[in-house]
Amino acid sequence: MAINVVGIIGWPAGWLTLLGASMYTPNWVVWLFMPFFLYGFYRFCNQLTYFRWADRMRRVLREYPWQSLEGVPSGLGKHPAAQDDGMWFEFRNPDDFEEKIPLVFLRHQRSYWWLRRMDGPRAKPSRRAQIEPLWFAGDPRFLAVVAAPTKDGKAPKRLYLLYQRSVFDSGRTPQAWEAGTVDSERACRAGARYVARGSRPHV
């Protein structure tokens, strides 16, 4: 979060600094600055949207403890049990250990780092090792935060929110993974807005 705040301040500051400098330099210098003007505006908007997801991750982490998981399956193609295409992690159902539940990366922001470390034909073992073990907090039937381990393995870094699309979209039919009242209420406290078809939003 602190780095995001620095970005919110830093990108506009750099943009304004170059804009001021361009007023006292030849026109051709402005064209040299143009890539930064465009990229800086994009990054500033991207930083703003991150606050919403950071708050959602905070709610999940208040409700669920971190777990350190070894050998979590992942992939880049469509998972047979997922409604959406995209790269995914596969977790065990908390109520049925034999059942496997995918969590798909539904957002593209900040996902490229993960893309290069997921299981795939071009995945390098050294990169895959950077997300082993995987830090996990949440319930795969609803939503969760995943993270890579620090070099010493004692703390999480690069936090990312994964979720079933139906927990934030009332128009999507939830998957058939049943959950009891206690688990559903816990997911609501963690930020899930919909936990069953036709349910009211939880805020």
Side-chain angles (χ1 to χ4, degrees), residues 93-124:
N93 186 333
D95 286 342
D96 183 358
F97 195 72
E98 296 301 318
E99 187 173 29
K100 301 174 183 178
I101 300 177
L103 276 172
V104 179
F105 283 68
L106 298 176
R107 297 182 298 117
H108 296 296
Q109 294 93 336
R110 302 172 183 260
S111 66
Y112 182 69
W113 186 89
W114 289 92
L115 172 65
R116 301 178 66 189
R117 289 155 179 82
M118 308 289 277
D119 290 327
R122 298 183 180 179
K124 296 181 179 180

mmCIF file of all heavy atoms in Angstrom, residues 93-124:
data_model
loop_
_atom_site.group_PDB
_atom_site.id
_atom_site.type_symbol
_atom_site.label_atom_id
_atom_site.label_comp_id
_atom_site.label_asym_id
_atom_site.label_seq_id
_atom_site.Cartn_x
_atom_site.Cartn_y
_atom_site.Cartn_z
ATOM 1 N N ASN A 93 -11.158 -28.164 -1.916
ATOM 2 C CA ASN A 93 -12.375 -27.691 -1.256
ATOM 3 C C ASN A 93 -12.224 -27.910 0.249
ATOM 4 O O ASN A 93 -11.944 -29.030 0.692
ATOM 5 C CB ASN A 93 -13.579 -28.479 -1.789
ATOM 6 C CG ASN A 93 -14.898 -27.952 -1.264
ATOM 7 O OD1 ASN A 93 -14.981 -27.376 -0.183
ATOM 8 N ND2 ASN A 93 -15.957 -28.177 -2.024
ATOM 9 N N PRO A 94 -12.391 -26.864 1.058
ATOM 10 C CA PRO A 94 -12.234 -27.031 2.517
ATOM 11 C C PRO A 94 -13.154 -28.070 3.124
ATOM 12 O O PRO A 94 -12.824 -28.676 4.146
ATOM 13 C CB PRO A 94 -12.558 -25.625 3.067
ATOM 14 C CG PRO A 94 -12.296 -24.704 1.923
ATOM 15 C CD PRO A 94 -12.679 -25.472 0.690
ATOM 16 N N ASP A 95 -14.317 -28.305 2.500
ATOM 17 C CA ASP A 95 -15.276 -29.265 3.031
ATOM 18 C C ASP A 95 -15.195 -30.633 2.365
ATOM 19 O O ASP A 95 -15.849 -31.583 2.801
ATOM 20 C CB ASP A 95 -16.703 -28.722 2.870
ATOM 21 C CG ASP A 95 -16.997 -27.611 3.857
ATOM 22 O OD1 ASP A 95 -16.256 -27.487 4.854
ATOM 23 O OD2 ASP A 95 -17.954 -26.844 3.623
ATOM 24 N N ASP A 96 -14.459 -30.735 1.269
ATOM 25 C CA ASP A 96 -14.321 -31.999 0.548
ATOM 26 C C ASP A 96 -12.940 -32.029 -0.080
ATOM 27 O O ASP A 96 -12.729 -31.513 -1.176
ATOM 28 C CB ASP A 96 -15.409 -32.123 -0.523
ATOM 29 C CG ASP A 96 -15.350 -33.459 -1.262
ATOM 30 O OD1 ASP A 96 -14.445 -34.260 -0.976
ATOM 31 O OD2 ASP A 96 -16.199 -33.687 -2.148
ATOM 32 N N PHE A 97 -11.994 -32.630 0.611
ATOM 33 C CA PHE A 97 -10.597 -32.563 0.199
ATOM 34 C C PHE A 97 -10.359 -33.188 -1.174
ATOM 35 O O PHE A 97 -9.373 -32.868 -1.845
ATOM 36 C CB PHE A 97 -9.708 -33.250 1.244
ATOM 37 C CG PHE A 97 -8.250 -32.934 1.086
ATOM 38 C CD1 PHE A 97 -7.751 -31.677 1.411
ATOM 39 C CD2 PHE A 97 -7.371 -33.897 0.588
ATOM 40 C CE1 PHE A 97 -6.397 -31.383 1.251
ATOM 41 C CE2 PHE A 97 -6.028 -33.613 0.432
ATOM 42 C CZ PHE A 97 -5.535 -32.348 0.759
ATOM 43 N N GLU A 98 -11.248 -34.073 -1.597
ATOM 44 C CA GLU A 98 -11.074 -34.716 -2.899
ATOM 45 C C GLU A 98 -11.501 -33.802 -4.051
ATOM 46 O O GLU A 98 -11.118 -34.043 -5.201
ATOM 47 C CB GLU A 98 -11.883 -36.016 -2.940
ATOM 48 C CG GLU A 98 -11.422 -37.073 -1.944
ATOM 49 C CD GLU A 98 -9.967 -37.473 -2.165
ATOM 50 O OE1 GLU A 98 -9.577 -37.626 -3.333
ATOM 51 O OE2 GLU A 98 -9.232 -37.607 -1.176
ATOM 52 N N GLU A 99 -12.281 -32.781 -3.747
ATOM 53 C CA GLU A 99 -12.766 -31.883 -4.800
ATOM 54 C C GLU A 99 -11.770 -30.747 -5.033
ATOM 55 O O GLU A 99 -11.269 -30.140 -4.086
ATOM 56 C CB GLU A 99 -14.130 -31.295 -4.421
ATOM 57 C CG GLU A 99 -14.755 -30.487 -5.541
ATOM 58 C CD GLU A 99 -16.176 -30.046 -5.203
ATOM 59 O OE1 GLU A 99 -16.457 -29.863 -3.996
ATOM 60 O OE2 GLU A 99 -16.974 -29.886 -6.123
ATOM 61 N N LYS A 100 -11.498 -30.474 -6.307
ATOM 62 C CA LYS A 100 -10.535 -29.449 -6.682
ATOM 63 C C LYS A 100 -11.246 -28.220 -7.240
ATOM 64 O O LYS A 100 -12.125 -28.345 -8.091
ATOM 65 C CB LYS A 100 -9.551 -30.011 -7.710
ATOM 66 C CG LYS A 100 -8.786 -31.227 -7.204
ATOM 67 C CD LYS A 100 -7.939 -31.852 -8.289
ATOM 68 C CE LYS A 100 -7.230 -33.101 -7.781
ATOM 69 N NZ LYS A 100 -6.418 -33.742 -8.868
ATOM 70 N N ILE A 101 -10.844 -27.055 -6.759
ATOM 71 C CA ILE A 101 -11.505 -25.802 -7.138
ATOM 72 C C ILE A 101 -10.485 -24.840 -7.753
ATOM 73 O O ILE A 101 -9.493 -24.500 -7.113
ATOM 74 C CB ILE A 101 -12.161 -25.140 -5.916
ATOM 75 C CG1 ILE A 101 -13.208 -26.074 -5.301
ATOM 76 C CG2 ILE A 101 -12.786 -23.803 -6.299
ATOM 77 C CD1 ILE A 101 -13.861 -25.523 -4.046
ATOM 78 N N PRO A 102 -10.730 -24.386 -8.979
ATOM 79 C CA PRO A 102 -9.810 -23.421 -9.590
ATOM 80 C C PRO A 102 -10.173 -21.989 -9.221
ATOM 81 O O PRO A 102 -11.344 -21.638 -9.078
ATOM 82 C CB PRO A 102 -10.015 -23.657 -11.087
ATOM 83 C CG PRO A 102 -11.462 -24.057 -11.192
ATOM 84 C CD PRO A 102 -11.760 -24.847 -9.924
ATOM 85 N N LEU A 103 -9.156 -21.167 -9.063
ATOM 86 C CA LEU A 103 -9.327 -19.723 -8.940
ATOM 87 C C LEU A 103 -8.572 -19.099 -10.114
ATOM 88 O O LEU A 103 -7.362 -19.257 -10.243
ATOM 89 C CB LEU A 103 -8.768 -19.208 -7.615
ATOM 90 C CG LEU A 103 -9.694 -19.316 -6.402
ATOM 91 C CD1 LEU A 103 -8.962 -18.952 -5.124
ATOM 92 C CD2 LEU A 103 -10.921 -18.414 -6.575
ATOM 93 N N VAL A 104 -9.326 -18.424 -10.973
ATOM 94 C CA VAL A 104 -8.772 -17.876 -12.218
ATOM 95 C C VAL A 104 -8.361 -16.421 -12.013
ATOM 96 O O VAL A 104 -9.030 -15.666 -11.293
ATOM 97 C CB VAL A 104 -9.816 -17.980 -13.349
ATOM 98 C CG1 VAL A 104 -9.261 -17.401 -14.654
ATOM 99 C CG2 VAL A 104 -10.234 -19.436 -13.550
ATOM 100 N N PHE A 105 -7.282 -16.022 -12.647
ATOM 101 C CA PHE A 105 -6.865 -14.617 -12.647
ATOM 102 C C PHE A 105 -7.806 -13.855 -13.584
ATOM 103 O O PHE A 105 -7.621 -13.843 -14.803
ATOM 104 C CB PHE A 105 -5.420 -14.483 -13.135
ATOM 105 C CG PHE A 105 -4.386 -14.862 -12.124
ATOM 106 C CD1 PHE A 105 -4.246 -16.178 -11.702
ATOM 107 C CD2 PHE A 105 -3.536 -13.902 -11.586
ATOM 108 C CE1 PHE A 105 -3.277 -16.536 -10.767
ATOM 109 C CE2 PHE A 105 -2.564 -14.243 -10.648
ATOM 110 C CZ PHE A 105 -2.439 -15.562 -10.233
ATOM 111 N N LEU A 106 -8.833 -13.224 -13.013
ATOM 112 C CA LEU A 106 -9.836 -12.538 -13.819
ATOM 113 C C LEU A 106 -9.409 -11.124 -14.193
ATOM 114 O O LEU A 106 -9.960 -10.532 -15.121
ATOM 115 C CB LEU A 106 -11.168 -12.488 -13.055
ATOM 116 C CG LEU A 106 -11.780 -13.858 -12.732
ATOM 117 C CD1 LEU A 106 -13.043 -13.689 -11.892
ATOM 118 C CD2 LEU A 106 -12.100 -14.615 -14.017
ATOM 119 N N ARG A 107 -8.470 -10.557 -13.455
ATOM 120 C CA ARG A 107 -7.964 -9.217 -13.778
ATOM 121 C C ARG A 107 -6.584 -9.336 -14.407
ATOM 122 O O ARG A 107 -5.815 -10.235 -14.075
ATOM 123 C CB ARG A 107 -7.864 -8.354 -12.509
ATOM 124 C CG ARG A 107 -9.171 -8.084 -11.814
ATOM 125 C CD ARG A 107 -8.983 -7.187 -10.612
ATOM 126 N NE ARG A 107 -8.115 -7.790 -9.607
ATOM 127 C CZ ARG A 107 -6.949 -7.310 -9.214
ATOM 128 N NH1 ARG A 107 -6.482 -6.191 -9.741
ATOM 129 N NH2 ARG A 107 -6.237 -7.918 -8.288
ATOM 130 N N HIS A 108 -6.277 -8.400 -15.302
ATOM 131 C CA HIS A 108 -4.978 -8.442 -15.967
ATOM 132 C C HIS A 108 -3.945 -7.548 -15.283
ATOM 133 O O HIS A 108 -2.745 -7.749 -15.450
ATOM 134 C CB HIS A 108 -5.126 -8.029 -17.432
ATOM 135 C CG HIS A 108 -5.982 -8.970 -18.226
ATOM 136 N ND1 HIS A 108 -5.629 -10.287 -18.452
ATOM 137 C CD2 HIS A 108 -7.186 -8.794 -18.837
ATOM 138 C CE1 HIS A 108 -6.567 -10.887 -19.173
ATOM 139 N NE2 HIS A 108 -7.522 -10.005 -19.414
ATOM 140 N N GLN A 109 -4.415 -6.533 -14.533
ATOM 141 C CA GLN A 109 -3.476 -5.639 -13.869
ATOM 142 C C GLN A 109 -2.587 -6.417 -12.902
ATOM 143 O O GLN A 109 -3.064 -7.210 -12.111
ATOM 144 C CB GLN A 109 -4.210 -4.530 -13.095
ATOM 145 C CG GLN A 109 -4.959 -3.565 -13.978
ATOM 146 C CD GLN A 109 -6.399 -3.989 -14.175
ATOM 147 O OE1 GLN A 109 -6.728 -5.161 -14.042
ATOM 148 N NE2 GLN A 109 -7.252 -3.038 -14.479
ATOM 149 N N ARG A 110 -1.301 -6.156 -13.025
ATOM 150 C CA ARG A 110 -0.293 -6.732 -12.127
ATOM 151 C C ARG A 110 -0.208 -8.256 -12.198
ATOM 152 O O ARG A 110 0.306 -8.906 -11.288
ATOM 153 C CB ARG A 110 -0.549 -6.307 -10.667
ATOM 154 C CG ARG A 110 -0.554 -4.788 -10.468
ATOM 155 C CD ARG A 110 -0.995 -4.423 -9.066
ATOM 156 N NE ARG A 110 -1.071 -2.981 -8.889
ATOM 157 C CZ ARG A 110 -0.127 -2.250 -8.304
ATOM 158 N NH1 ARG A 110 0.962 -2.834 -7.841
ATOM 159 N NH2 ARG A 110 -0.267 -0.943 -8.174
ATOM 160 N N SER A 111 -0.726 -8.856 -13.273
ATOM 161 C CA SER A 111 -0.716 -10.322 -13.370
ATOM 162 C C SER A 111 0.436 -10.861 -14.206
ATOM 163 O O SER A 111 0.681 -12.076 -14.207
ATOM 164 C CB SER A 111 -2.048 -10.820 -13.949
ATOM 165 O OG SER A 111 -2.212 -10.390 -15.294
ATOM 166 N N TYR A 112 1.147 -10.000 -14.935
ATOM 167 C CA TYR A 112 2.198 -10.489 -15.828
ATOM 168 C C TYR A 112 3.306 -11.204 -15.056
ATOM 169 O O TYR A 112 3.842 -12.214 -15.512
ATOM 170 C CB TYR A 112 2.778 -9.328 -16.640
ATOM 171 C CG TYR A 112 3.834 -9.763 -17.627
ATOM 172 C CD1 TYR A 112 3.496 -10.532 -18.740
ATOM 173 C CD2 TYR A 112 5.174 -9.428 -17.434
ATOM 174 C CE1 TYR A 112 4.471 -10.950 -19.641
ATOM 175 C CE2 TYR A 112 6.152 -9.839 -18.330
ATOM 176 C CZ TYR A 112 5.788 -10.598 -19.431
ATOM 177 O OH TYR A 112 6.764 -11.015 -20.308
ATOM 178 N N TRP A 113 3.644 -10.675 -13.883
ATOM 179 C CA TRP A 113 4.677 -11.317 -13.070
ATOM 180 C C TRP A 113 4.277 -12.746 -12.757
ATOM 181 O O TRP A 113 5.096 -13.666 -12.810
ATOM 182 C CB TRP A 113 4.891 -10.520 -11.786
ATOM 183 C CG TRP A 113 6.032 -11.010 -10.950
ATOM 184 C CD1 TRP A 113 7.347 -10.623 -11.025
ATOM 185 C CD2 TRP A 113 5.963 -12.012 -9.911
ATOM 186 N NE1 TRP A 113 8.096 -11.309 -10.094
ATOM 187 C CE2 TRP A 113 7.276 -12.157 -9.393
ATOM 188 C CE3 TRP A 113 4.933 -12.764 -9.368
ATOM 189 C CZ2 TRP A 113 7.575 -13.040 -8.366
ATOM 190 C CZ3 TRP A 113 5.224 -13.652 -8.340
ATOM 191 C CH2 TRP A 113 6.528 -13.775 -7.849
ATOM 192 N N TRP A 114 3.012 -12.964 -12.424
ATOM 193 C CA TRP A 114 2.525 -14.303 -12.113
ATOM 194 C C TRP A 114 2.500 -15.177 -13.364
ATOM 195 O O TRP A 114 2.808 -16.370 -13.298
ATOM 196 C CB TRP A 114 1.127 -14.219 -11.500
ATOM 197 C CG TRP A 114 1.126 -13.650 -10.120
ATOM 198 C CD1 TRP A 114 0.962 -12.344 -9.761
ATOM 199 C CD2 TRP A 114 1.329 -14.363 -8.902
ATOM 200 N NE1 TRP A 114 1.046 -12.196 -8.404
ATOM 201 C CE2 TRP A 114 1.269 -13.425 -7.843
ATOM 202 C CE3 TRP A 114 1.555 -15.711 -8.592
ATOM 203 C CZ2 TRP A 114 1.416 -13.790 -6.515
ATOM 204 C CZ3 TRP A 114 1.704 -16.082 -7.256
ATOM 205 C CH2 TRP A 114 1.639 -15.123 -6.242
ATOM 206 N N LEU A 115 2.132 -14.590 -14.494
ATOM 207 C CA LEU A 115 2.046 -15.339 -15.748
ATOM 208 C C LEU A 115 3.357 -16.059 -16.057
ATOM 209 O O LEU A 115 3.357 -17.211 -16.506
ATOM 210 C CB LEU A 115 1.692 -14.375 -16.890
ATOM 211 C CG LEU A 115 1.748 -14.940 -18.308
ATOM 212 C CD1 LEU A 115 0.700 -16.026 -18.496
ATOM 213 C CD2 LEU A 115 1.543 -13.822 -19.326
ATOM 214 N N ARG A 116 4.473 -15.415 -15.804
ATOM 215 C CA ARG A 116 5.770 -15.985 -16.140
ATOM 216 C C ARG A 116 6.209 -17.071 -15.159
ATOM 217 O O ARG A 116 7.244 -17.719 -15.377
ATOM 218 C CB ARG A 116 6.822 -14.871 -16.190
ATOM 219 C CG ARG A 116 6.507 -13.788 -17.193
ATOM 220 C CD ARG A 116 7.535 -12.691 -17.192
ATOM 221 N NE ARG A 116 8.828 -13.160 -17.661
ATOM 222 C CZ ARG A 116 9.940 -12.447 -17.595
ATOM 223 N NH1 ARG A 116 9.925 -11.234 -17.054
ATOM 224 N NH2 ARG A 116 11.080 -12.928 -18.060
ATOM 225 N N ARG A 117 5.441 -17.302 -14.120
ATOM 226 C CA ARG A 117 5.836 -18.273 -13.093
ATOM 227 C C ARG A 117 4.826 -19.405 -12.921
ATOM 228 O O ARG A 117 5.041 -20.282 -12.076
ATOM 229 C CB ARG A 117 6.057 -17.539 -11.758
ATOM 230 C CG ARG A 117 7.318 -16.690 -11.798
ATOM 231 C CD ARG A 117 7.304 -15.533 -10.829
ATOM 232 N NE ARG A 117 8.559 -14.777 -10.924
ATOM 233 C CZ ARG A 117 8.802 -13.852 -11.859
ATOM 234 N NH1 ARG A 117 7.873 -13.572 -12.768
ATOM 235 N NH2 ARG A 117 9.958 -13.216 -11.897
ATOM 236 N N MET A 118 3.768 -19.388 -13.710
ATOM 237 C CA MET A 118 2.771 -20.452 -13.642
ATOM 238 C C MET A 118 3.253 -21.674 -14.425
ATOM 239 O O MET A 118 4.098 -21.577 -15.324
ATOM 240 C CB MET A 118 1.443 -19.961 -14.215
ATOM 241 C CG MET A 118 0.937 -18.657 -13.611
ATOM 242 S SD MET A 118 0.371 -18.823 -11.914
ATOM 243 C CE MET A 118 -1.281 -19.430 -12.186
ATOM 244 N N ASP A 119 2.689 -22.837 -14.102
ATOM 245 C CA ASP A 119 3.033 -24.059 -14.827
ATOM 246 C C ASP A 119 2.631 -23.934 -16.284
ATOM 247 O O ASP A 119 1.503 -23.551 -16.607
ATOM 248 C CB ASP A 119 2.300 -25.261 -14.203
ATOM 249 C CG ASP A 119 2.852 -25.597 -12.832
ATOM 250 O OD1 ASP A 119 4.050 -25.407 -12.616
ATOM 251 O OD2 ASP A 119 2.060 -26.039 -11.979
ATOM 252 N N GLY A 120 3.546 -24.236 -17.178
ATOM 253 C CA GLY A 120 3.290 -24.157 -18.605
ATOM 254 C C GLY A 120 4.471 -24.706 -19.372
ATOM 255 O O GLY A 120 5.542 -24.976 -18.799
ATOM 256 N N PRO A 121 4.315 -24.877 -20.690
ATOM 257 C CA PRO A 121 5.394 -25.471 -21.485
ATOM 258 C C PRO A 121 6.678 -24.653 -21.495
ATOM 259 O O PRO A 121 7.753 -25.194 -21.722
ATOM 260 C CB PRO A 121 4.784 -25.571 -22.890
ATOM 261 C CG PRO A 121 3.664 -24.566 -22.897
ATOM 262 C CD PRO A 121 3.129 -24.559 -21.503
ATOM 263 N N ARG A 122 6.574 -23.342 -21.272
ATOM 264 C CA ARG A 122 7.754 -22.488 -21.298
ATOM 265 C C ARG A 122 8.175 -22.006 -19.910
ATOM 266 O O ARG A 122 9.047 -21.148 -19.784
ATOM 267 C CB ARG A 122 7.506 -21.279 -22.198
ATOM 268 C CG ARG A 122 7.241 -21.647 -23.659
ATOM 269 C CD ARG A 122 7.083 -20.403 -24.506
ATOM 270 N NE ARG A 122 6.838 -20.745 -25.899
ATOM 271 C CZ ARG A 122 6.648 -19.858 -26.877
ATOM 272 N NH1 ARG A 122 6.696 -18.558 -26.577
ATOM 273 N NH2 ARG A 122 6.430 -20.245 -28.112
ATOM 274 N N ALA A 123 7.552 -22.536 -18.888
ATOM 275 C CA ALA A 123 7.874 -22.101 -17.529
ATOM 276 C C ALA A 123 9.252 -22.600 -17.117
ATOM 277 O O ALA A 123 9.553 -23.789 -17.234
ATOM 278 C CB ALA A 123 6.818 -22.612 -16.557
ATOM 279 N N LYS A 124 10.084 -21.698 -16.654
ATOM 280 C CA LYS A 124 11.403 -22.072 -16.184
ATOM 281 C C LYS A 124 11.326 -22.506 -14.721
ATOM 282 O O LYS A 124 10.676 -21.836 -13.914
ATOM 283 C CB LYS A 124 12.364 -20.893 -16.327
ATOM 284 C CG LYS A 124 12.601 -20.463 -17.769
ATOM 285 C CD LYS A 124 13.579 -19.302 -17.828
ATOM 286 C CE LYS A 124 13.841 -18.891 -19.274
ATOM 287 N NZ LYS A 124 14.796 -17.753 -19.355
#
